[in-house]
Amino acid sequence: MKKIESIVAEKLLNISAIKLQPEVPFVWASGWNSPIYTDNRKTLSYPELRTFIKVELCRTIMENFEKPDAIAGVATGAIAQGALVADTLGLPYVYVRSTPKDHGLENLIEGNLKPGQKVVVIEDLISTGGSSLKAVEAIRNAGCEVVGMAAIFTYGFPVAVKRFADAGVKLITLSNYNSMLEAALETEYIKPEDLETLKMWRKDSANWVPNRKTE
């Protein structure tokens, strides 16, 4: 029986929420060359998959975290999925902006959190962990306790693992980079010779230089 990590990875590959291009890499906003691009917001366009992700995030929360008083989504990728999770669990919902709104009340957190509440944060993707943990900091600054974070996918970068450990945040993801590589190979999305390239990128992503094939 397939593990949930593999099932989720295969589903994300099937709808191109995860794209792999070892020979013609993407360039991230950070300037990094990357053989992978992930946009889990695409799951929202597929009702069956959208529900599957929602249910699995709810299961993850119930199995791994102390019962929360509220759910928080991280803008912008996890706003919708966070709301779906909160609705299913019957809990209050807020979302955290990347920066305060530049007008009106200048809110960083949209919604109503009460000091002392226990909050689970929902993310769509964990990259270096910086933006995710800024959301955690905002919630803590509001006087609330973050009991954990549940996310759809993580690249598993060592820098992110260290940041979450240093911040004291328990992170549980539905799938991860290693499981995705296994699923991509099994479904013939990639060739066996692509594996080494994809593994090398993850080891030193910031400095990775693509080895483009020439005709």
Side-chain angles (χ1 to χ4, degrees):
M1 185 175 181
K2 286 187 178 180
K3 293 182 178 180
I4 185 65
E5 294 93 339
S6 298
I7 295 171
V8 171
E10 190 171 322
K11 289 178 180 294
L12 295 177
L13 288 166
N14 282 343
I15 66 164
S16 295
I18 293 178
K19 290 185 178 181
L20 298 173
Q21 294 182 184
E23 295 175 15
V24 187
F26 304 95
V27 179
W28 285 2
S30 62
W32 290 8
N33 289 301
S34 172
I36 180 173
Y37 186 80
T38 305
D39 182 6
N40 289 327
R41 286 169 291 196
K42 284 191 172 183
T43 62
L44 298 169
S45 297
Y46 300 82
E48 185 176 339
L49 178 54
R50 183 179 67 215
T51 299
F52 176 79
I53 294 291
K54 175 191 71 176
V55 169
E56 287 303 317
L57 286 171
C58 289
R59 179 189 58 78
T60 294
I61 291 168
M62 291 186 290
E63 290 182 357
N64 294 281
F65 303 124
E66 181 181 349
K67 181 171 170 45
D69 302 309
I71 299 294
V74 181
T76 58
I79 290 178
Q81 197 59 254
L84 291 168
V85 168
D87 186 62
T88 301
L89 295 177
L91 292 172
Y93 177 66
V94 302
Y95 71 85
V96 186
R97 293 175 173 272
S98 57
T99 56
K101 191 164 59 175
D102 61 4
H103 61 278
L105 297 177
E106 299 183 348
N107 293 334
L108 182 58
I109 298 175
E110 297 291 358
N112 185 33
L113 280 180
K114 298 177 182 178
Q117 284 186 315
K118 298 180 186 298
V119 181
V120 168
V121 181
I122 301 296
E123 258 288 24
D124 66 324
L125 173 67
I126 305 297
S127 182
T128 61
S131 58
S132 304
L133 290 172
K134 281 183 181 178
V136 168
E137 182 181 11
I139 293 166
R140 287 174 170 170
N141 288 341
C144 297
E145 176 187 349
V146 174
V147 297
M149 184 180 295
I152 298 174
F153 186 79
T154 179
Y155 292 123
F157 293 141
V159 63
V161 174
K162 184 177 187 304
R163 282 176 171 173
F164 274 88
D166 290 347
V169 178
K170 182 178 181 180
L171 170 67
I172 306 291
T173 62
L174 299 186
S175 191
N176 54 70
Y177 192 74
N178 290 339
S179 295
M180 182 276 299
L181 290 183
E182 292 174 5
L185 190 60
E186 184 178 329
T187 59
E188 298 184 344
Y189 187 106
I190 59 173
K191 303 182 291 291
E193 54 266 32
D194 292 327
L195 264 184
E196 189 59 30
T197 297
L198 291 161
K199 289 179 178 179
M200 288 299 296
W201 171 79
R202 218 271 296 273
K203 286 181 180 178
D204 189 12
S205 307
N207 300 304
W208 180 76
V209 177
N211 181 24
R212 292 186 175 88
K213 291 184 177 179
T214 57
E215 296 297 335

